[in-house]
Amino acid sequence: MGIEYALIMHVLAERYCGAEPKPMRPRFLQYVEKQGCGPGTEIYSDLEAAIAKMEGASLKLLAQNGEAGLTISEPQVQEWASATTKELGGCDALKAAHDAEQ
């Protein structure tokens, strides 16, 4: 699974499905380190940047694909979150993945 999808799943689990918040950095950065890509590698740096972006992102910003200049309504945000969550297996699946041990 792409790391971007995993990050989105993590955020949706918390912000849309109500999962208990957990820090993303240890989970995802330790994963790439175990794959041999530690600090200083391009993937590690890219992942750090993606996590920083996701940590502060609202559902609206996620629905806008990170483009703050787009204007979408709250009902559109909720529709995006609902459709995306359903496509990714539903809240139960997102929460299970979110809470799974590494």
Side-chain angles (χ1 to χ4, degrees), residues 6 22 32 55 72 75 78 83 85 89:
K22 289 185 177 182
V32 295
E55 284 177 332
I72 62 174
Q78 292 302 312
T85 297

Side-chain angles (χ1 to χ4, degrees), residues 52-76:
K53 184 177 173 182
M54 292 284 190
E55 284 177 332
S58 63
L59 278 179
K60 183 173 184 172
L61 191 59
L62 288 174
Q64 295 171 173
N65 200 27
E67 297 182 35
L70 293 177
T71 55
I72 62 174
S73 68
E74 187 57 32
Q76 289 172 314

Side-chain angles (χ1 to χ4, degrees), residues 29 32-33 36-45 48:
L29 293 176
V32 295
E33 283 182 20
C37 301
T41 61
E42 184 176 354
I43 191 167
Y44 191 95
S45 298
E48 278 185 311

Side-chain angles (χ1 to χ4, degrees), residues 74-85:
E74 187 57 32
Q76 289 172 314
V77 171
Q78 292 302 312
E79 184 178 323
W80 171 85
S82 175
T84 303
T85 297

Side-chain angles (χ1 to χ4, degrees), residues 4-24:
E4 186 175 321
Y5 285 113
L7 293 174
I8 289 172
M9 289 172 68
H10 185 95
V11 173
L12 280 173
E14 292 180 359
R15 298 202 181 109
Y16 184 74
C17 299
E20 184 73 29
K22 289 185 177 182
M24 288 188 276

